Amino acid sequence: MKMNQKVIALALGALLSAQFAWAAVTPEEAARLKRDLTPFGAEKAGNKEGTIPAWDGGYTKVPAGYQSGDPRPDPFANEKPLFSITAKNMDQYADKLAEGTKALLKKYPTYRVDVYPTHRTAAAPQWVFDNTFKNSTRAKTTRGGYGVEGAYGGIPFPIPKDGYEAMHNHRLKWNGVTNTHSFENYTGNSDGKHVLVTKGQSTYQFPYYDKNGSLETFKGLYEQWFVQQTDPPFKSGEAFIIHDYVDQPRQAWQYLTGQRRVRKAPTIGYDTPDDVNSGQQYFDEAFVFLGDLDRYEWKLIGKKELYIPYNDNKYVQKSPEERLAPYHLNPDVLRWELHRVWVVEATLAPGKRHVVPKRRFYLDEDTWGAVIGEGWDAQGQLWRTNHSTPHILFEAQRNEMAYPLVVYNLLTGTFVSSGFNLSKGNIYKSVPRVPDSYFTPDALAGQGIR
């Protein structure tokens, strides 16, 4: 009898072990990534109406003479909008508009969505696609869904089973390895005027996408940030660094000129008002969503067709004066396209707190980048919406999906726009990998200039 119980226990253990080993997808499901799905798990075919084309490998042309960091030309500059959506005709497009977009159309008569032909420009190097295929059968979530293991150098869950996996895909989307850019951010006030809130320089690095690394050597630190402000004068010299991990909480340090020392900064995250932008947004609203997932429960609603900002190379070429209109971004320089997106809802987890108890995110199926976010207050009122302006980075074989960014407060009528500092002539430059020591508290102290 005891022997039979032992055999049964071993059999059950083997069965559970097998299921756990294939917690992501089975090899048979993964084979779809080389058949009817793109290497990142999107539907390779277009839609039946022909308004979304088939994916053909993305946009990989590099203009002659182009150098990384130069203003990137608009490859679709000759195209005209197919139609425009305003408050007057938005009802006929309602099923393809995010709630936040509808709210902006209703609130501001000057707001408009110009819809252009759809181009599926998302691309990536073959080694990133190969790693994504490997991840599909080996990656799994940990810590109740809030961590990841078994993934490296690619999308962790190209065929996601739940909202946690989808949001990990956003966090670990293909971002290149090391990039630098200057930034220039403005707030839009409720009287329609704009105020410069900061200028500065940012360098970020993704050890997760180091081509020379591997799953075996990866330490779990997937993202490193160094952000330093140069304007206005009272903020000049302030800086912070961030370390984000796949399987443990964020670590952050800050240098404040008034204190003249480096301090650990656990408040850089979640719903702490982002002092870089004068508190007009929360830290985890940066780049549509940035940071740890553990304040929410994440539900994968499904996939739908949606008008989203896309291929906005024209927008990022513009000066702040051209990018901004009273009360919102200038619709004349924004490009919207119809794309399929994954819809993920976040609700406050039991025992946790966040000033935005319910949120929704729309993730581009071709890149996994969150393009539009929405937030509701405790009374269930739509309070906030943000969106990025995705554009093509020719030389990096990728689309920048998270930046520049705008965050609207629908209740106060204010917004904050983060954009490139064109006067510095540095628009998202891919650079060689820098030493990890660049992103340490000691380095932060060494670069304190006041």
Side-chain angles (χ1 to χ4, degrees):
M1 186 65 178
K2 285 185 178 180
M3 180 61 72
N4 288 339
Q5 289 175 338
K6 185 175 181 180
V7 170
I8 291 171
L10 288 172
L12 285 173
L15 178 61
L16 290 172
S17 177
Q19 290 176 337
F20 196 61
W22 289 346
V25 298
T26 64
E28 290 73 24
E29 290 177 288
R32 294 186 61 197
L33 300 173
K34 296 184 176 181
R35 193 172 63 235
D36 59 306
L37 301 180
T38 73
F40 278 176
E43 295 174 52
K44 189 178 290 184
N47 64 359
K48 62 181 180 182
E49 293 84 8
T51 49
I52 296 176
W55 183 78
D56 62 0
Y59 194 95
T60 56
K61 301 174 188 173
V62 180
Y66 174 80
Q67 297 293 320
S68 186
D70 292 345
R72 293 179 172 82
D74 177 6
F76 311 117
N78 294 327
E79 292 185 349
K80 304 296 182 186
L82 299 172
F83 55 91
S84 296
I85 304 173
T86 67
K88 292 182 179 178
N89 67 354
M90 62 181 285
D91 288 348
Q92 62 181 296
Y93 304 104
D95 64 328
K96 292 183 171 59
L97 290 170
E99 292 304 312
T101 309
K102 293 178 191 176
L104 290 169
L105 288 166
K106 290 177 182 175
K107 187 175 183 68
Y108 301 115
T110 51
Y111 198 72
R112 189 179 77 245
V113 172
D114 288 343
V115 178
Y116 288 78
T118 297
H119 297 279
R120 298 178 70 180
T121 52
Q126 186 59 47
W127 63 270
V128 175
F129 290 150
D130 292 342
N131 281 338
T132 300
F133 186 76
K134 294 176 183 174
N135 290 341
S136 66
T137 53
R138 68 185 182 184
K140 57 189 177 187
T141 57
T142 60
R143 297 169 50 226
Y146 297 125
V148 175
E149 66 179 29
Y152 182 78
I155 302 299
F157 305 104
I159 306 175
K161 301 298 186 185
D162 57 39
Y164 296 86
E165 294 184 354
M167 289 305 293
H168 284 302
N169 289 346
H170 161 71
R171 299 174 78 211
L172 298 172
K173 61 185 175 296
W174 164 232
N175 270 317
V177 181
T178 308
N179 307 277
T180 181
H181 71 85
S182 53
F183 58 85
E184 188 172 28
N185 302 349
Y186 287 80
T187 59
N189 297 330
S190 58
D191 60 3
K193 296 180 180 177
H194 310 128
V195 177
L196 173 71
V197 292
T198 188
K199 290 182 182 180
Q201 188 74 23
S202 176
T203 299
Y204 62 98
Q205 183 159 270
F206 296 90
Y208 178 84
Y209 277 108
D210 183 355
K211 188 178 179 181
N212 297 319
S214 67
L215 177 62
E216 290 70 29
T217 59
F218 179 53
K219 305 293 186 186
L221 173 62
Y222 77 87
E223 183 175 52
Q224 301 161 301
W225 286 86
F226 191 115
V227 179
Q228 188 168 46
Q229 300 179 74
T230 58
D231 289 286
F234 76 93
K235 286 187 174 181
S236 179
E238 291 187 3
F240 64 85
I241 55 176
I242 288 174
H243 293 179
D244 279 328
Y245 298 83
V246 295
D247 57 357
Q248 57 181 293
R250 165 179 290 178
Q251 299 286 312
W253 297 263
Q254 189 170 27
Y255 177 83
L256 296 174
T257 55
Q259 300 178 357
R260 298 178 68 84
R261 65 180 59 185
V262 174
R263 292 184 181 278
K264 203 159 186 181
T267 55
I268 295 182
Y270 301 115
D271 56 355
T272 301
D274 182 350
D275 61 309
V276 175
N277 285 327
S278 295
Q280 294 291 313
Q281 68 176 67
Y282 302 117
F283 272 110
D284 68 4
E285 288 180 313
F287 308 99
V288 185
F289 182 85
L290 178 70
D292 296 321
L293 303 179
D294 58 348
R295 293 286 172 92
Y296 295 102
E297 294 178 327
W298 301 85
K299 182 179 181 181
L300 187 61
I301 303 300
K303 190 185 279 188
K304 66 176 298 184
E305 295 180 2
L306 199 73
Y307 296 117
I308 59 176
Y310 218 96
N311 295 319
D312 273 301
N313 287 52
K314 179 173 70 173
Y315 173 83
V316 300
Q317 294 177 15
K318 301 299 182 183
S319 67
E321 293 75 19
E322 294 170 308
R323 290 198 301 258
L324 303 176
Y327 311 109
H328 49 71
L329 298 189
N330 181 1
D332 293 342
V333 297
L334 276 174
R335 179 188 180 101
W336 297 69
E337 297 181 3
L338 184 67
H339 285 261
R340 286 183 290 243
V341 297
W342 290 96
V343 184
V344 180
E345 277 193 359
T347 54
L348 198 60
K352 300 289 185 177
R353 62 157 301 280
H354 195 292
V355 294
V356 188
K358 177 184 174 183
R359 303 168 79 171
R360 185 180 297 156
F361 297 95
Y362 303 92
L363 317 182
D364 168 42
E365 72 161 346
D366 286 333
T367 63
W368 289 102
V371 183
I372 295 178
E374 297 161 339
W376 284 260
D377 65 14
Q379 287 71 47
Q381 187 173 9
L382 183 60
W383 174 19
R384 324 175 64 80
T385 185
N386 55 357
H387 71 73
S388 63
T389 50
H391 55 284
I392 310 167
L393 278 66
F394 311 107
E395 76 283 12
Q397 287 186 268
R398 72 181 183 93
N399 289 35
E400 170 50 48
M401 298 303 297
Y403 195 82
L405 178 82
V406 61
V407 181
Y408 293 100
N409 185 323
L410 298 167
L411 301 185
T412 63
T414 59
F415 71 94
V416 60
S417 168
S418 302
F420 295 117
N421 182 357
L422 299 175
S423 64
K424 293 285 187 182
N426 180 355
I427 303 178
Y428 238 106
K429 186 176 183 179
S430 296
V431 298
R433 181 167 179 174
V434 299
D436 288 343
S437 58
Y438 181 79
F439 301 95
T440 61
D442 287 344
L444 189 60
Q447 297 206 27
I449 59 175
R450 290 176 59 194

PDB file of all heavy atoms in Angstrom, residues 146-160:
ATOM      1  N   TYR A 146       4.417  38.504 -10.529  1.00  0.00           N
ATOM      2  CA  TYR A 146       5.123  39.789 -10.560  1.00  0.00           C
ATOM      3  C   TYR A 146       6.597  39.677 -10.993  1.00  0.00           C
ATOM      4  O   TYR A 146       7.237  40.692 -11.242  1.00  0.00           O
ATOM      5  CB  TYR A 146       5.041  40.453  -9.185  1.00  0.00           C
ATOM      6  CG  TYR A 146       3.628  40.773  -8.777  1.00  0.00           C
ATOM      7  CD1 TYR A 146       3.106  40.311  -7.566  1.00  0.00           C
ATOM      8  CD2 TYR A 146       2.805  41.524  -9.601  1.00  0.00           C
ATOM      9  CE1 TYR A 146       1.796  40.598  -7.203  1.00  0.00           C
ATOM     10  CE2 TYR A 146       1.502  41.808  -9.244  1.00  0.00           C
ATOM     11  CZ  TYR A 146       0.998  41.340  -8.040  1.00  0.00           C
ATOM     12  OH  TYR A 146      -0.305  41.624  -7.680  1.00  0.00           O
ATOM     13  N   GLY A 147       7.126  38.482 -11.083  1.00  0.00           N
ATOM     14  CA  GLY A 147       8.498  38.298 -11.531  1.00  0.00           C
ATOM     15  C   GLY A 147       8.554  37.398 -12.754  1.00  0.00           C
ATOM     16  O   GLY A 147       7.550  36.814 -13.176  1.00  0.00           O
ATOM     17  N   VAL A 148       9.742  37.300 -13.340  1.00  0.00           N
ATOM     18  CA  VAL A 148       9.956  36.476 -14.529  1.00  0.00           C
ATOM     19  C   VAL A 148      11.260  35.712 -14.352  1.00  0.00           C
ATOM     20  O   VAL A 148      12.232  36.248 -13.819  1.00  0.00           O
ATOM     21  CB  VAL A 148      10.057  37.351 -15.798  1.00  0.00           C
ATOM     22  CG1 VAL A 148      10.402  36.494 -17.026  1.00  0.00           C
ATOM     23  CG2 VAL A 148       8.762  38.098 -16.056  1.00  0.00           C
ATOM     24  N   GLU A 149      11.280  34.474 -14.827  1.00  0.00           N
ATOM     25  CA  GLU A 149      12.538  33.749 -14.926  1.00  0.00           C
ATOM     26  C   GLU A 149      12.509  32.914 -16.203  1.00  0.00           C
ATOM     27  O   GLU A 149      11.448  32.647 -16.770  1.00  0.00           O
ATOM     28  CB  GLU A 149      12.772  32.853 -13.710  1.00  0.00           C
ATOM     29  CG  GLU A 149      11.808  31.716 -13.551  1.00  0.00           C
ATOM     30  CD  GLU A 149      12.132  30.870 -12.318  1.00  0.00           C
ATOM     31  OE1 GLU A 149      12.679  31.431 -11.349  1.00  0.00           O
ATOM     32  OE2 GLU A 149      11.830  29.671 -12.328  1.00  0.00           O
ATOM     33  N   GLY A 150      13.699  32.561 -16.665  1.00  0.00           N
ATOM     34  CA  GLY A 150      13.794  31.739 -17.871  1.00  0.00           C
ATOM     35  C   GLY A 150      13.696  32.521 -19.157  1.00  0.00           C
ATOM     36  O   GLY A 150      13.492  31.924 -20.220  1.00  0.00           O
ATOM     37  N   ALA A 151      13.841  33.841 -19.085  1.00  0.00           N
ATOM     38  CA  ALA A 151      13.749  34.677 -20.292  1.00  0.00           C
ATOM     39  C   ALA A 151      15.015  35.507 -20.432  1.00  0.00           C
ATOM     40  O   ALA A 151      15.586  35.965 -19.434  1.00  0.00           O
ATOM     41  CB  ALA A 151      12.542  35.601 -20.220  1.00  0.00           C
ATOM     42  N   TYR A 152      15.431  35.701 -21.672  1.00  0.00           N
ATOM     43  CA  TYR A 152      16.589  36.567 -21.927  1.00  0.00           C
ATOM     44  C   TYR A 152      16.609  36.983 -23.398  1.00  0.00           C
ATOM     45  O   TYR A 152      16.345  36.176 -24.297  1.00  0.00           O
ATOM     46  CB  TYR A 152      17.908  35.848 -21.621  1.00  0.00           C
ATOM     47  CG  TYR A 152      19.097  36.749 -21.847  1.00  0.00           C
ATOM     48  CD1 TYR A 152      19.446  37.716 -20.912  1.00  0.00           C
ATOM     49  CD2 TYR A 152      19.842  36.678 -23.032  1.00  0.00           C
ATOM     50  CE1 TYR A 152      20.513  38.585 -21.142  1.00  0.00           C
ATOM     51  CE2 TYR A 152      20.901  37.535 -23.264  1.00  0.00           C
ATOM     52  CZ  TYR A 152      21.232  38.492 -22.320  1.00  0.00           C
ATOM     53  OH  TYR A 152      22.262  39.355 -22.550  1.00  0.00           O
ATOM     54  N   GLY A 153      16.906  38.264 -23.622  1.00  0.00           N
ATOM     55  CA  GLY A 153      17.228  38.747 -24.962  1.00  0.00           C
ATOM     56  C   GLY A 153      16.096  38.739 -25.960  1.00  0.00           C
ATOM     57  O   GLY A 153      16.348  38.807 -27.176  1.00  0.00           O
ATOM     58  N   GLY A 154      14.843  38.659 -25.514  1.00  0.00           N
ATOM     59  CA  GLY A 154      13.700  38.647 -26.427  1.00  0.00           C
ATOM     60  C   GLY A 154      12.417  38.849 -25.637  1.00  0.00           C
ATOM     61  O   GLY A 154      12.431  38.978 -24.407  1.00  0.00           O
ATOM     62  N   ILE A 155      11.300  38.887 -26.342  1.00  0.00           N
ATOM     63  CA  ILE A 155      10.009  38.984 -25.667  1.00  0.00           C
ATOM     64  C   ILE A 155       9.828  37.722 -24.823  1.00  0.00           C
ATOM     65  O   ILE A 155      10.002  36.607 -25.325  1.00  0.00           O
ATOM     66  CB  ILE A 155       8.876  39.107 -26.705  1.00  0.00           C
ATOM     67  CG1 ILE A 155       9.091  40.338 -27.603  1.00  0.00           C
ATOM     68  CG2 ILE A 155       7.522  39.154 -26.018  1.00  0.00           C
ATOM     69  CD1 ILE A 155       9.102  41.659 -26.874  1.00  0.00           C
ATOM     70  N   PRO A 156       9.484  37.846 -23.532  1.00  0.00           N
ATOM     71  CA  PRO A 156       9.399  36.636 -22.705  1.00  0.00           C
ATOM     72  C   PRO A 156       8.194  35.744 -23.012  1.00  0.00           C
ATOM     73  O   PRO A 156       8.291  34.525 -22.951  1.00  0.00           O
ATOM     74  CB  PRO A 156       9.337  37.184 -21.277  1.00  0.00           C
ATOM     75  CG  PRO A 156       8.845  38.586 -21.413  1.00  0.00           C
ATOM     76  CD  PRO A 156       9.344  39.075 -22.738  1.00  0.00           C
ATOM     77  N   PHE A 157       7.044  36.381 -23.323  1.00  0.00           N
ATOM     78  CA  PHE A 157       5.810  35.605 -23.508  1.00  0.00           C
ATOM     79  C   PHE A 157       5.112  36.031 -24.805  1.00  0.00           C
ATOM     80  O   PHE A 157       4.094  36.720 -24.779  1.00  0.00           O
ATOM     81  CB  PHE A 157       4.865  35.816 -22.314  1.00  0.00           C
ATOM     82  CG  PHE A 157       5.485  35.522 -20.982  1.00  0.00           C
ATOM     83  CD1 PHE A 157       5.879  36.546 -20.127  1.00  0.00           C
ATOM     84  CD2 PHE A 157       5.705  34.216 -20.589  1.00  0.00           C
ATOM     85  CE1 PHE A 157       6.460  36.285 -18.892  1.00  0.00           C
ATOM     86  CE2 PHE A 157       6.296  33.931 -19.353  1.00  0.00           C
ATOM     87  CZ  PHE A 157       6.670  34.962 -18.503  1.00  0.00           C
ATOM     88  N   PRO A 158       5.646  35.632 -25.945  1.00  0.00           N
ATOM     89  CA  PRO A 158       5.061  36.097 -27.217  1.00  0.00           C
ATOM     90  C   PRO A 158       3.626  35.615 -27.440  1.00  0.00           C
ATOM     91  O   PRO A 158       2.906  36.204 -28.250  1.00  0.00           O
ATOM     92  CB  PRO A 158       6.026  35.533 -28.272  1.00  0.00           C
ATOM     93  CG  PRO A 158       6.707  34.384 -27.588  1.00  0.00           C
ATOM     94  CD  PRO A 158       6.819  34.779 -26.156  1.00  0.00           C
ATOM     95  N   ILE A 159       3.242  34.562 -26.747  1.00  0.00           N
ATOM     96  CA  ILE A 159       1.837  34.090 -26.798  1.00  0.00           C
ATOM     97  C   ILE A 159       1.335  34.135 -25.359  1.00  0.00           C
ATOM     98  O   ILE A 159       1.318  33.133 -24.657  1.00  0.00           O
ATOM     99  CB  ILE A 159       1.753  32.675 -27.402  1.00  0.00           C
ATOM    100  CG1 ILE A 159       2.438  32.641 -28.773  1.00  0.00           C
ATOM    101  CG2 ILE A 159       0.281  32.247 -27.540  1.00  0.00           C
ATOM    102  CD1 ILE A 159       2.500  31.260 -29.393  1.00  0.00           C
ATOM    103  N   PRO A 160       0.894  35.289 -24.880  1.00  0.00           N
ATOM    104  CA  PRO A 160       0.593  35.443 -23.447  1.00  0.00           C
ATOM    105  C   PRO A 160      -0.708  34.747 -23.061  1.00  0.00           C
ATOM    106  O   PRO A 160      -1.643  34.654 -23.848  1.00  0.00           O
ATOM    107  CB  PRO A 160       0.467  36.967 -23.292  1.00  0.00           C
ATOM    108  CG  PRO A 160      -0.017  37.431 -24.623  1.00  0.00           C
ATOM    109  CD  PRO A 160       0.658  36.532 -25.635  1.00  0.00           C
TER     110      PRO A 160
END
